[in-house]
Amino acid sequence: MLLLQLSSAQGPVECEIAVSKALRQLYREAQILGVRIDIVEQAAGYGGNHCKSVLTSLDGEQAEELARRWTGTLLWSCKSPSRPGHKRKNWYFAGQLFSPPQGAQDSEIRFEAMRASGPGGQHVNTTDSAVRATHLATGISVKVQSERSQHDNKRLARLLIQQRLEARQQQDQEQLRQDRRYAHHQVERGNPVRTFNGSAFTPGN
């Protein structure tokens, strides 16, 4: 699964209209390629009728190909539908690709039994009751020796791994939010990767 954000990037209302039209075009292209698209988050524009930004998830074999089409500076070339007397007709907006945080559902944990170490009375270093658990996907590793049985230490190790994964995921999600906020301000006014023309939002390239 990939995350694709379309953003008006602090542009005027015409850029928000472009984002709304782009979302409909994205749905059409996703259907042709057999890609499932879902709206994860949407920010309404100034008037409430258009999108300031929209975050979508793309899932399917052709998701990466579709995302590449929409990543970069995008241009809608059209006379302003909201300001008929306005001379400007080039409205820039942006598409940016993000990787979602990896969840614990993809995890695999390796357990290693070892002798407990350190102070703890007569039961320390007498059996291989301590456990080191390693989450293979991320390299997160914990050692637990607080319980006398290996089974109980494994249970605690699983809980610790899960807690560490959730903490990391929260950090990743916060970084993702920061990256997305930064993306709102980063649109190159020129060299668009794609151009759309007229009120019908016809793809030009």
Side-chain angles (χ1 to χ4, degrees), residues 16 22 43 74 128:
E16 296 176 359
L74 305 165
D128 294 338

Side-chain angles (χ1 to χ4, degrees), residues 39-58:
I39 294 178
V40 178
E41 192 174 77
Q42 189 169 344
Y46 296 114
N49 297 323
H50 307 292
C51 295
K52 187 175 184 63
S53 72
V54 58
L55 181 68
T56 65
S57 65
L58 307 178

Side-chain angles (χ1 to χ4, degrees), residues 17-32:
I17 296 173
V19 170
S20 300
K21 288 179 176 290
L23 179 61
R24 291 192 287 271
Q25 178 66 24
L26 179 63
Y27 268 106
R28 287 191 287 267
E29 295 181 8
Q31 186 175 20
I32 292 171

Side-chain angles (χ1 to χ4, degrees), residues 6-9 11-26 28 45 49-54 70 73-82 88-95 187 189 194-202:
L6 300 175
S7 172
S8 62
V13 66
E14 290 85 358
C15 297
E16 296 176 359
I17 296 173
V19 170
S20 300
K21 288 179 176 290
L23 179 61
R24 291 192 287 271
Q25 178 66 24
L26 179 63
R28 287 191 287 267
N49 297 323
H50 307 292
C51 295
K52 187 175 184 63
S53 72
V54 58
W70 290 89
T73 298
L74 305 165
L75 169 63
W76 179 37
S77 183
C78 183
K79 289 184 178 180
S80 172
S82 60
R88 179 180 167 186
K89 66 174 185 178
N90 288 334
W91 313 104
Y92 292 97
F93 61 108
V187 176
R189 306 294 174 181
R194 293 188 72 179
T195 299
F196 303 90
N197 300 304
S199 59
F201 206 77
T202 304

Side-chain angles (χ1 to χ4, degrees), residues 10-203:
Q10 308 299 313
V13 66
E14 290 85 358
C15 297
E16 296 176 359
I17 296 173
V19 170
S20 300
K21 288 179 176 290
L23 179 61
R24 291 192 287 271
Q25 178 66 24
L26 179 63
Y27 268 106
R28 287 191 287 267
E29 295 181 8
Q31 186 175 20
I32 292 171
L33 292 175
V35 173
R36 176 177 175 176
I37 178 172
D38 293 296
I39 294 178
V40 178
E41 192 174 77
Q42 189 169 344
Y46 296 114
N49 297 323
H50 307 292
C51 295
K52 187 175 184 63
S53 72
V54 58
L55 181 68
T56 65
S57 65
L58 307 178
D59 196 6
E61 291 184 3
Q62 303 299 315
E64 188 172 350
E65 178 185 340
L66 178 61
R68 281 201 300 265
R69 294 183 187 179
W70 290 89
T71 301
T73 298
L74 305 165
L75 169 63
W76 179 37
S77 183
C78 183
K79 289 184 178 180
S80 172
S82 60
R83 296 182 287 177
H86 203 287
K87 295 181 180 180
R88 179 180 167 186
K89 66 174 185 178
N90 288 334
W91 313 104
Y92 292 97
F93 61 108
Q96 188 161 0
L97 183 63
F98 300 95
S99 297
Q102 192 170 19
Q105 66 269 18
D106 298 324
S107 68
E108 181 179 357
I109 300 175
R110 182 180 68 237
F111 292 100
E112 301 172 79
M114 59 187 63
R115 288 188 178 273
S117 61
Q122 59 181 337
H123 296 284
V124 171
N125 295 325
T126 58
T127 62
D128 294 338
S129 60
V131 170
R132 182 180 300 282
T134 304
H135 183 249
L136 299 179
T138 62
I140 293 174
S141 180
V142 298
K143 180 181 177 182
V144 179
Q145 61 179 36
S146 57
E147 301 297 328
R148 293 183 178 180
S149 77
Q150 188 178 121
H151 176 77
D152 287 339
N153 283 328
K154 275 188 176 182
R155 177 179 56 83
L156 291 178
R158 287 191 190 96
L159 292 175
L160 274 175
I161 288 284
Q162 182 63 32
Q163 186 273 332
R164 301 279 178 87
L165 286 172
E166 289 177 357
R168 175 173 290 194
Q169 187 175 49
Q170 289 174 1
Q171 291 175 355
D172 290 346
Q173 288 172 341
E174 178 57 31
Q175 184 62 51
L176 176 61
R177 284 191 290 269
Q178 291 177 5
D179 290 345
R180 286 171 50 211
R181 285 196 294 269
Y182 180 75
H184 285 311
H185 301 275
Q186 301 299 311
V187 176
E188 182 182 359
R189 306 294 174 181
N191 301 318
V193 296
R194 293 188 72 179
T195 299
F196 303 90
N197 300 304
S199 59
F201 206 77
T202 304

